[in-house]
Amino acid sequence: MKVTLATLTLCLVVLMATGFPFERKGGSPSGGAAKEKRVQSAVWDDVNVIAHGLLQLGQGLKEHVDKTKVQMRDVSTKLKVFNRTVAELGKESQRLRAEGEALKARAQGLEDREGQLLNVTAELREKAEEMQQERRTMNERMSRLEERVDSMLQGDTVLADGNAGAKNSSDARSIQLMLEAQNRRIDDLMERIRLQQEKLDKQNVRIRTLQSQIQQSRQRPSPRSSSTTDGSVQGEDAEQRDSPVEIASDCHELFLRGETTSGVYTIQPINSEPFDVFCEMTTDGGWTVFQRRQDGSVDFDQTWPAYEKGFGSLNGEFWLGLEKIHAIAKDGDYMLNIKLSDWSNDLATVRLPFRLGGEETKYSLLIQENGTFSPLESSLGTDATSGLPFSTRDQDNDQKTDINCAKHLSGGWWFSNCGRSNLNGRFFQSPPPKQRHQRKQGIFWKTWRGRYYPLKSSTMMIAPAVIVSKS
């Protein structure tokens, strides 16, 4: 700015100097003076115009310089903020990268341990097969020895002397002791195999959980995208982070994802809307509970729409609903698990492979026959091998032609001829009613405590059949 003012001053001096020309020799003095005066006046007017223009130009240059200084300060401030942001994002990127490497290392370690467990399990299985072979050999030897003893007792064999009988008896005793020792070794090996399998299953769950965490860390937004000034990419990444994780189709899938605590969860079976269920988590897997009786707080003598939609509280007594049970198990290959208890707190468990039809079949229960049913299983399994439709007091679908079993007894159930089981009957506090026609309306399982014994509690749940095959 100082250079500009100096330049303007120099220009004014030059102009003033050129406004007073030297006096020429000769000529009229008065005429020359008048002419010189006119020239000087014109020059001063030009100087004033030029000076005024230069002053305006200097003022404009000063304003421009001040504005440029302000802009430079703003740019410097923004650069400092940007540098701090880049440094912070670099630290965050390094932290995420370190977390990812740590997770990869843990996953690799678990995979190595899984391989070791598989090798140990294979060795144990080979040993178990060897022990089974030895057991079969000992059984054959024992059978031959028993035949010899039987023939001796029947007089078919003539003993050479009195010591032969004692010798055979000693051989039989030694073989029996060897067989018992082999059986104990086999049982011990089978128990070790079972424990190894449980450890292997838990390792698999942990590996899947870590893999899921690694995948989620990879899907996080990159630091470079987050540092954009207009926020467009950052908004897109936020939308990806907020996108919902796929909901599990049943409780066992939740177990495989790492959930081990029993309680209420939300599931979404294939081609179905999400809904809440109670999951009972065990060491083998997750079971989806669809019926619970424990205190009589809920009336189970309901109509068809109620049994179809469900009623009660998931944290107390409830019936999940035929529609939801069918949505979970419609593809088959599921296991029905029934837990019973009496008023002496004795427990019984029934597990049956089953299928459940849809509304067009009246939600028929089909128990898949796998050999002969045990007495405990026969209360439901025997009648349901060809399919039993569900019945309520306003929907008579049982096999009894002259009686509506649901109305004659109580509650809704897969009735055949009214007499084998009904876990949705009336809840009787102990002691039960004295009249038999009242007791038969209670919760009963004929082949466990009898037709007229009202049970204390019952729980029904389902899970993929792979749980039972593992356990």
Side-chain angles (χ1 to χ4, degrees), residues 304 308 322-323 356-359 361-365 390 414:
W304 179 268
E308 196 172 29
L322 294 168
E323 287 183 347
L356 186 67
E359 182 181 8
T361 67
K362 304 297 182 183
Y363 302 100
S364 292
L365 177 70
F390 198 82
W414 293 281

Side-chain angles (χ1 to χ4, degrees), residues 168-378:
N168 289 333
S169 176
S170 177
D171 291 341
R173 180 61 181 169
S174 62
I175 291 174
Q176 184 176 4
L177 292 175
M178 291 175 60
L179 186 60
E180 290 177 354
Q182 292 286 354
N183 288 336
R184 286 194 296 270
R185 290 176 61 189
I186 291 173
D187 293 338
D188 181 62
L189 282 174
M190 295 302 292
E191 179 64 19
R192 290 174 63 186
I193 290 174
R194 187 185 67 81
L195 294 176
Q196 290 290 344
Q197 188 66 41
E198 289 182 357
K199 292 180 180 179
L200 187 60
D201 293 339
K202 292 180 180 179
Q203 291 290 346
N204 286 332
V205 172
R206 293 180 63 187
I207 288 173
R208 281 189 290 269
T209 303
L210 283 173
Q211 289 175 344
S212 177
Q213 292 176 358
I214 292 172
Q215 184 177 4
Q216 291 176 2
S217 66
R218 288 175 179 174
Q219 292 176 352
R220 291 177 181 175
S222 62
R224 186 178 298 276
S225 298
S226 298
S227 64
T228 56
T229 56
D230 58 359
S232 58
V233 178
Q234 189 174 13
E236 181 181 352
D237 293 334
E239 183 179 355
Q240 293 177 358
R241 291 196 303 270
D242 295 337
S243 60
V245 180
E246 184 179 357
I247 302 176
S249 59
D250 61 10
C251 292
H252 186 59
E253 187 173 343
L254 285 169
F255 173 82
L256 295 178
R257 294 184 181 184
E259 298 291 347
T260 58
T261 304
S262 299
V264 178
Y265 295 87
T266 300
I267 65 172
Q268 185 176 14
I270 299 174
N271 298 326
S272 175
E273 294 295 326
F275 54 84
D276 292 340
V277 295
F278 188 93
C279 296
E280 183 167 318
M281 302 299 186
T282 66
T283 56
D284 302 323
W287 292 85
T288 305
V289 181
F290 70 86
Q291 186 255 31
R292 186 189 292 127
R293 309 293 304 278
Q294 60 186 14
D295 53 20
S297 58
V298 175
D299 183 11
F300 272 67
D301 190 19
Q302 301 283 342
T303 60
W304 179 268
Y307 270 99
E308 196 172 29
K309 300 297 182 183
F311 53 86
S313 171
L314 291 176
N315 290 312
E317 290 195 337
F318 71 93
W319 175 263
L320 183 61
L322 294 168
E323 287 183 347
K324 296 175 182 176
I325 303 171
H326 172 67
I328 299 172
K330 60 178 177 294
D331 295 329
D333 201 20
Y334 265 71
M335 186 67 62
L336 173 64
N337 186 11
I338 303 174
K339 293 184 177 181
L340 308 172
S341 68
D342 61 13
W343 291 96
S344 298
N345 292 324
D346 291 331
L347 305 176
T349 301
V350 182
R351 289 187 176 182
L352 296 167
F354 86 108
R355 291 178 180 270
L356 186 67
E359 182 181 8
E360 67 281 359
T361 67
K362 304 297 182 183
Y363 302 100
S364 292
L365 177 70
L366 178 64
I367 300 298
Q368 301 173 9
E369 189 172 3
N370 187 12
T372 305
F373 291 111
S374 68
L376 194 62
E377 296 170 344
S378 62

